[in-house]
Each structure stands twice: as structure tokens, then as C-alpha cells.
Amino acid sequence: PNDDLAMINLFVVRHPLSWITSMHKSWYSLHCVDGDYDCSLSLPNPTEGDTVVHYDSLMEMWNKHVAGFISIPNAIVVRYEDVVTSPQDTCNHITTKTAPAAPFKIVESSAKTHGSSRGRSSALDAIQNDEWRNHFPPSTISTYCRQLDPALLIRFNYAC
């Protein structure tokens, strides 16, 4: 553990096309005009009203957010896929940079209480089978992958 850390920032990244698939299920405050293009995200700002951020596409949004995560000092960035497939190892990785791990129990049921979320078994199947590939035609996958930052894909061991 590093006693010099007053605060850490923990971010979870997800394979970009898997993330886009999940966004199609629940858009939250994200609105896209043309499929996955011309997007705006409304971010709550309690003192000045909502701030709206525009992106040319969901791929640009993923690129910018993930690049932003890794540029933050004291940031710990873990992959969603690792949280689901190897929760103990992921927790151990996080706690090597923070404090000793508290005992925890793997939650097999859905972690969310809204939307059409899935339990761990279903999430494991989706990850192991690259389920996101079933949601896009090959030409769309190729187009989206060309718009993703190759350095970020390599850094997080994501393939298109």
C-alpha cells in the first residue's frame, strides 16, 4: 500500500463494442441522433445546471473517456471482463495499491436492480463468447473498430 495516496480513482473499462451493446439496452443520459453517431451526454451539475458534452460517435466517447481515465494521477483502471471472470485477482490487484483487501463474497445474481441486467453466469458466458459480435454485422464491427484508438485496445488487450 502507498501511504502517500490521499485518494485513488478507480475506473472500470469494458470492451468498447460490448459497452456499446450494453448502452443500447439502457441509454441513461446519453442521446445519439444517428444510430451510434452524433451523441450528447448530459452530465448533472448541481450548481450550474446540466452540462451537455457532444461526441461525434460512441467510439469517440469511449476513446476519450478511457484515455482520460488512464491520464489521472493515482488512477487504478481495471477491465470489466476481469472483474467478472477473476474477481479475487482483480480485487487483489486493486488492494496492492490501496489497503489490504477486506473479505468479500462473489455476487452471482444481478448487481443492478434496474434494466435488463444479468447475473454473473450469464455475464461470464457473454464475455467468453464475445456475445457483442452477435449484435453487429461484420461491416459495422469493422467500421467501429477503425474508429477506436489502437493504443487503448492494445493496452487493455481488446481485439475487434
Side-chain angles (χ1 to χ4, degrees):
N2 185 341
D3 294 332
D4 296 333
L5 296 179
M7 177 178 79
I8 61 153
N9 295 284
L10 176 63
F11 299 99
V12 179
V13 299
R14 186 171 181 174
H15 186 288
L17 297 182
S18 176
W19 171 75
I20 290 171
T21 301
S22 76
M23 291 302 292
H24 288 176
K25 287 176 19 183
S26 182
W27 288 93
Y28 300 101
S29 62
L30 178 68
H31 304 281
C32 296
V33 176
D34 181 21
D36 295 330
Y37 294 89
D38 191 12
C39 302
S40 62
L41 178 64
S42 181
L43 303 170
N45 183 330
T47 58
E48 299 174 22
D50 289 357
T51 300
V52 177
V53 182
H54 295 276
Y55 301 94
D56 290 338
S57 68
L58 289 178
M59 290 64 63
E60 178 194 28
M61 181 179 177
W62 188 89
N63 287 336
K64 286 189 174 185
H65 282 237
V66 173
F69 298 161
I70 63 176
S71 71
I72 294 173
N74 298 329
I76 299 172
V77 184
V78 296
R79 295 174 357 131
Y80 164 82
E81 295 81 3
D82 296 334
V83 172
V84 174
T85 61
S86 304
Q88 183 70 57
D89 291 342
T90 305
C91 186
N92 290 343
H93 168 72
I94 293 167
T95 58
T96 61
K97 299 175 191 257
T98 58
F104 73 96
K105 178 181 173 188
I106 295 174
V107 176
E108 297 293 340
S109 61
S110 175
K112 295 191 304 187
T113 58
H114 64 280
S116 57
S117 59
R118 53 178 70 193
R120 183 166 183 264
S121 175
S122 179
L124 281 167
D125 287 344
I127 291 167
Q128 291 165 347
N129 296 313
D130 284 341
E131 186 178 277
W132 56 266
R133 289 189 182 279
N134 300 329
H135 295 271
F136 305 103
S139 61
T140 300
I141 292 172
S142 294
T143 299
Y144 287 178
C145 289
R146 280 193 304 274
Q147 296 173 37
L148 293 165
D149 183 331
L152 293 174
L153 293 174
I154 291 168
R155 179 179 181 134
F156 292 101
N157 198 28
Y158 289 140
C160 275

